[in-house]
Amino acid sequence: MTTQSWWQAAAADIDETSLAQAWEHQNQLTKPPGALGQLEQLATRMAAYQRQLNPEIRNPHCVVFAADHGVVAQGVSAFPQAVTVEMLKNFVAGGAAISVLSRVNQFELSVVNCGTATPCDQLEGVIHSPVAAGTADFSQQPAMSQQQAEQALAIGSDQVDRLKQSGCDLFIAGEMGIGNTSAASCVSALLLSQNVAELVGPGTGVQGQALDHKSEVLVASVARAQQQYAEPLDALVQLGGFEIGAIAGAYIRAAQCGIPVLVDGFIASSAALLAVKLNPSVREWMLFSHGSAEPGHKSLLAGLGATPLLDLGMRLGEGSGAGVAISLIRQALALHNQMATFAQANVSGADN
């Protein structure tokens, strides 16, 4: 008898009755049906998530998961690994983009150390749950062991369980880790059965010959990993990062808890793809915030059957695209909840 792993348990059901009622309400509002486009889909989707006609976002939360990647030894990044911990300090000090967005758009922000190469255990304001001091160089060997991969998934699950206790009703995952566009490209290539060269982008700003070198390293890395790839978790083991695993675990657990997730850009979407491959039922609980300028993001969105809410040419990560898009969701809900119906406004409908 096979024992099911926690991440394979089904996601919560979405309330189809509330969804139908929300659409009926939308069609009674003082506008032509469909005139608000994706805003209508957002509002009705949130109604189905929250099992009520008038959904609200009262307690959104962003968790930034951070870790380092051994493959940076191959010269695939424009920045040194020390930047990962330096940015952790910036997050908690309030100076990073996601820190600013959390204040402006009124959502809580947490930062989790999943395994940085530079020691930072004494850094206050950070939740320390390191798997190891960064992954191994996946151009030479697996990025992590099976046990470490499962530990990374559990970090994300634990964070969602913590947020559930405080009533979180929308979850955003951000990430930080020098080298993680390389890991995201490789993981995605395995999961999509796609040439990684088509997914590789500048990341921290790699250009010209350096970008060609990055592509060569990643093509060779995927070729090595393909020999060991049999199931979705192997993509994380062979080529992933601890923060990517943590985000995937968080997405799965959020869906199991009935908490919708607002997916950020390229790296977060690679974790979303991993989560869906591990547990297809979690896809229903995902909203996609924006289209990243990273070239591989279009392939990821296509593989997930996703349409992003915004396309602003962003490629920062940290959860920043989702941090911007949360205001759009709030506006969609305000329109849904506060617009008058034709009857309330005494306005003639299309059939009158």
Side-chain angles (χ1 to χ4, degrees):
M1 180 178 177
T2 301
T3 302
Q4 185 184 57
S5 300
W6 71 262
W7 59 82
Q8 295 173 304
D13 292 330
I14 290 173
D15 187 12
E16 298 292 341
T17 299
S18 295
L19 180 63
Q21 290 173 343
W23 273 117
E24 182 180 356
H25 177 70
Q26 276 285 331
N27 291 333
Q28 294 172 3
L29 300 180
T30 48
K31 60 177 177 59
L36 289 176
Q38 286 193 66
L39 298 181
E40 298 181 12
Q41 297 170 32
L42 270 177
T44 55
R45 199 74 185 161
M46 289 299 295
Y49 290 148
Q50 295 189 359
R51 298 178 173 270
Q52 58 180 337
L53 179 60
N54 299 112
E56 294 182 279
I57 297 174
R58 295 184 176 179
N59 192 13
H61 202 118
C62 175
V63 180
V64 176
F65 298 92
D68 277 311
H69 299 260
V71 73
V72 299
Q74 302 300 321
V76 296
S77 175
F79 284 80
Q81 275 189 327
V83 169
T84 301
V85 169
E86 291 168 358
M87 282 302 300
L88 291 189
K89 297 175 182 177
N90 195 24
F91 291 140
V92 297
I98 191 61
S99 309
V100 174
L101 290 168
S102 73
R103 293 194 298 272
V104 170
N105 288 325
Q106 299 178 326
F107 56 87
E108 295 294 320
L109 178 65
S110 301
V111 182
V112 179
N113 167 21
C114 301
T116 60
T118 304
C120 66
D121 291 350
Q122 303 307 312
L123 181 57
E124 295 184 0
V126 173
I127 298 168
H128 294 284
S129 300
V131 177
T135 57
D137 180 354
F138 63 59
S139 70
Q140 306 297 314
Q141 65 186 85
M144 65 189 80
S145 68
Q146 176 90 10
Q147 181 180 4
Q148 288 176 325
E150 294 181 8
Q151 188 177 347
L153 291 173
I155 291 171
S157 176
D158 289 346
Q159 289 305 307
V160 170
D161 283 339
R162 175 178 68 85
L163 298 183
K164 182 184 178 183
Q165 297 301 314
S166 64
C168 175
D169 53 17
L170 183 68
F171 175 75
I172 296 170
E175 41 62 39
M176 179 63 217
I178 297 301
N180 63 7
T181 59
S182 294
S185 297
C186 290
V187 167
S188 301
L190 269 189
L191 295 175
L192 293 172
S193 298
Q194 188 168 343
N195 184 349
V196 69
E198 299 171 359
L199 304 176
V200 177
T204 51
V206 176
Q207 301 289 346
Q209 290 184 343
L211 183 58
D212 292 339
H213 171 71
K214 177 180 179 179
S215 181
E216 291 171 2
V217 170
L218 301 192
V219 167
S221 299
V222 173
R224 179 200 61 74
Q226 282 173 330
Q227 307 304 312
Q228 308 297 323
Y229 179 65
E231 58 183 17
L233 192 60
D234 292 336
L236 179 61
V237 169
Q238 292 295 323
L239 298 165
F242 299 140
E243 82 280 35
I244 292 173
I247 294 173
Y251 287 158
I252 292 170
R253 186 62 186 144
Q256 292 170 341
C257 293
I259 302 171
V261 301
L262 183 57
V263 179
D264 191 41
F266 178 58
I267 296 156
S269 294
S270 74
L273 180 65
L274 175 60
V276 171
K277 293 292 187 180
L278 289 170
N279 185 341
S281 70
V282 307
R283 175 62 183 85
E284 290 276 13
W285 289 88
M286 293 177 175
L287 303 170
F288 292 81
S289 61
H290 76 115
S292 172
E294 282 291 316
H297 198 216
K298 285 185 173 63
S299 294
L300 275 172
L301 292 172
L304 286 159
T307 301
L309 301 175
L310 300 170
D311 190 351
L312 301 173
M314 298 175 68
R315 58 177 183 85
L316 176 60
E318 302 178 7
S320 57
V324 171
I326 193 172
S327 63
L328 195 67
I329 298 178
R330 284 195 169 113
Q331 291 175 82
L333 299 188
L335 289 166
H336 179 82
N337 295 335
Q338 298 175 30
M339 281 183 69
T341 65
F342 285 103
Q344 289 168 337
N346 198 25
V347 173
S348 299
D351 295 330
N352 290 24

